[in-house]
Every structure is written in structure tokens, then in C-alpha cells.
Amino acid sequence: MSHNKKAPETLPSVEQVETELKNINYRKKFRSTLFSTISILIVVAAVAVLVSTLFFPVVQVVGNSMEPTLSAGDVLVLVKSDDVKKGELCCFSWQNKTLLKRVIGRSGDIIDMDSEGNVSVNGELLDEPYVENKELGKCEIEFPYQVPEGKIFILGDQRETSVDSRNSAIGCIGKDQIIGRVLFKVWSGD
């Protein structure tokens, strides 16, 4: 005769059940906290991208036309605005490229530049401490030059190599080309 009796199952103790319930609740809270944290991070990232795209674009400097003021690799925050003033750094679109230059003159201003690279606006010589080597550079326009209506005359700080309003390829830029003016430098590429 064989006995097919099973050994009686032992029930977990109250402490084991409470411990298991605590573990289950902890896992639920952890998942909930993780999910809400990830959701918040996604919303914050989306808002940051939206704000930077619509109001404060971020650009990285490529090239040396703005040295010594800016160097290749510098990361800049712009303010989206086409209202740029003389002396400000302006980022603009030209042939699917983003260029960065300094505003020298606005609509109606008379720009003059001598053979040594000294710049005058409306008869006043500009104090340009940001230009290390004053030079006429590659110039395809005749001075004195009057900035056309609705346009801005821009120059790079590295006058001997910068391609800017002195060059007929770029010329004066329109307000519709302006992406924004430089607000501050976030990162130095040096």
C-alpha cells in the first residue's frame, strides 16, 4: 500500500506577508516616482528646446572672422530680434549658412573706410578696440558707402580675412536675414 499523502503546506507568517506587501508597495512607489521623473524631464527638455528655438537660439562659432572677440568653438546664446544696434554682434542667415558679424551701420548711414582700415560712420571715426589688425581687406565696394533702406552694414572683427558687407557676395543684409543678436557666451571653445 502506497501513501499518496502530500505534506501539508505551510502558510507564510504574518511578518512575511507584511514584508512582501511592503516590497510590493515600494516597487509601485518606485515605478511611479521613476515614471513621473522621466515625464517631468521630457516636458522640461521639450520646453527648453521650444524656448531656445523660438526666443533664444544657441549657435556655435565656426571660423576665425570674429577673433579676438570670439573664437572657433565658442557657444553663444542669441536673442531672436531683428532690432540690432551699432556695435552689437549679429547672427544672420546667408545661403543656408549662419554667419556672425558686427553691426557697423544701419539704413541711411554713410560708411567710410580708409586704406589703413579705419572705419567712420556718418563722419565719426569708430573706436574699435575689438579689431587687432586694422586693414581694408578684400573690398569690392566704393567708399563712402550709404547703407540702403532696410539694410544693415556688417563687418567681421578679423578685417583682413572676413567676408562681409565689403564683399558683393554678401553685401548689406536685410532684417529678414537676421536670426538674432548675441546675448552672451555660454562656452569658450579655447
Side-chain angles (χ1 to χ4, degrees), residues 2 4 9 74 99 103 109 115 122 145 149 160 175 178:
S2 72
N4 284 341
E9 288 186 31
D74 288 355
L99 300 179
V103 177
D109 285 342
S115 59
N122 299 325
Y145 176 84
E149 190 62 36
E160 64 272 12
K175 286 192 170 211
I178 297 173

Side-chain angles (χ1 to χ4, degrees), residues 109-124:
D109 285 342
I110 307 228
I111 312 295
D112 203 359
M113 195 167 182
D114 65 22
S115 59
E116 277 124 42
N118 295 306
V119 179
S120 297
V121 178
N122 299 325
E124 265 187 58

